[in-house]
Amino acid sequence: MKIVILTGAGVSAESGMGTFQDENGLWTQVNIEDVATPEAFARNPAKVHALYNARRSNCLKAEPNAAHFALAELQNSRHDVTLVTQNIDNLHERGGGTDVIHMHGELMKALCASCGAVWPAPEAMDKDDPCPSCGKPQTRPDIVWFGEIPYHMDRIERALSECDLFVAIGTSGAVYPAAGFVQMADAFGADTLELNLAPSDVQSAFAAHRYGPATEVVPQWVA
Ligand code: BV8
């Protein structure tokens, strides 16, 4: 059976990574326009780097949880599993996940805004860090901000067109194009399942739902 899994911040919430839209979520503490757009980075790179440096050090202190481990177990099973994440943390990989598709980029990678080179991010990054490839001081986090095109869309859309089951885990369904994946999978005839703490903004598009903390509902579903 071909399965596509889409995860969001809820799968890392119990690892202490925080979410976006919940009452103490990141987007309730900072404005997207100030820290998560290319314009924000052009306006104040130091402010943007400070936010991502703080999130990177938080990620280094966090540990994968039972949901990450269960999804890695599913990937090692006989199923054909495509694991897509909106998350920029590396907890899927540290929980044994393989070939993780980071459609919104990765905290642990740096990107040169001038030549496009990508390299492992130091814990604290600064715009003036010289690019190891072109030498220019145009270093940014390798993150897809609002208004930027998500990574790996062709591969994701192909997987959605071929899957038998689409499962969304720990995402509010608030951000596109990820929030539209369930409609795409459904249109191609896949079964759809939402595993979340609470109904998402697109819960009505799912055929089945199981609600509860990811560390409970994900291992139960994988078993
Ligand atoms: C783009 C990286 C064009 C940064 C992020 C319609 C179509 C296309 C685009 C748009 C459109 N309408 C609007 C747009 C533009 C925009 C958008 O969607 N805006 C929103 C505000 C309306 N989209 C874009 O700009 C995207 N680019 O559209 O380019 C294009 C389109 C298609 C094809 C080609 C080109 C780029 C968006 C990417 C932005 N970057 N992340 C960073 O991390 O700092 S977005 C960020 O927020 C996340 O990555 C995620 O995608 C999004 C929402 O986060 P979630 O993961 O869902 O987390 P959230 O807090 O919202 O929810 C947590 C959930 O977990 C909750 O439901 C909660 O109940 C649950 N939960 C909590 N605890 C637990 C739990 N569940 C289980 N267990 C628990 N313990």
Side-chain angles (χ1 to χ4, degrees):
M1 180 194 323
K2 288 180 181 278
I3 304 175
V4 173
I5 292 173
L6 171 71
T7 64
V11 83
S12 297
E14 290 160 272
S15 297
M17 282 306 293
T19 61
F20 295 95
Q21 323 272 350
D22 295 331
E23 67 271 15
N24 300 319
L26 181 64
W27 299 151
T28 62
Q29 293 157 30
V30 287
N31 285 326
I32 286 174
E33 296 71 28
D34 294 341
V35 290
T37 65
E39 295 78 14
F41 184 72
R43 203 168 41 242
N44 191 339
K47 180 182 175 122
V48 173
H49 270 306
L51 174 84
Y52 288 95
N53 289 342
R55 290 173 68 188
R56 190 172 302 107
S57 59
N58 187 30
C59 181
L60 292 169
K61 292 189 202 99
E63 291 297 328
N65 63 51
H68 298 110
F69 292 121
L71 292 174
E73 190 191 314
L74 183 73
Q75 283 191 295
N76 296 326
S77 73
R78 59 186 176 77
H79 294 296
D80 173 354
V81 178
T82 300
L83 178 55
V84 183
T85 187
Q86 300 170 90
N87 299 340
I88 59 178
D89 64 52
N90 61 355
L91 295 178
H92 278 303
E93 291 87 345
R94 288 163 56 198
T98 51
D99 191 18
V100 182
I101 301 176
H102 284 273
M103 67 179 291
H104 290 159
E106 297 177 69
L107 260 181
M108 301 306 159
K109 287 185 179 165
L111 168 69
C112 175
S114 176
C115 75
V118 174
W119 65 96
E123 182 160 347
M125 214 192 299
D126 182 274
K127 174 184 161 299
D128 296 332
D129 294 347
C131 166
S133 177
C134 74
K136 292 214 179 108
Q138 290 289 328
T139 297
R140 56 168 279 183
D142 186 20
I143 302 287
V144 176
W145 286 318
F146 289 91
E148 296 188 315
I149 297 177
Y151 291 153
H152 312 298
M153 284 302 292
D154 291 346
R155 182 176 170 200
I156 294 167
E157 287 169 358
R158 192 163 50 253
L160 290 169
S161 71
E162 296 168 353
C163 75
D164 304 296
L165 174 63
F166 173 76
V167 186
I169 303 173
T171 181
S172 62
V175 172
Y176 287 82
F181 290 172
V182 56
Q183 280 98 339
M184 211 182 286
D186 179 61
F188 281 109
D191 282 335
T192 54
L193 170 64
E194 176 170 86
L195 302 179
N196 210 45
L197 192 62
S200 74
D201 295 359
V202 289
Q203 57 86 19
S204 58
F206 287 87
H209 313 79
R210 291 189 198 176
Y211 294 122
T215 53
E216 289 173 20
V217 295
V218 177
Q220 283 163 7
W221 170 65
V222 168

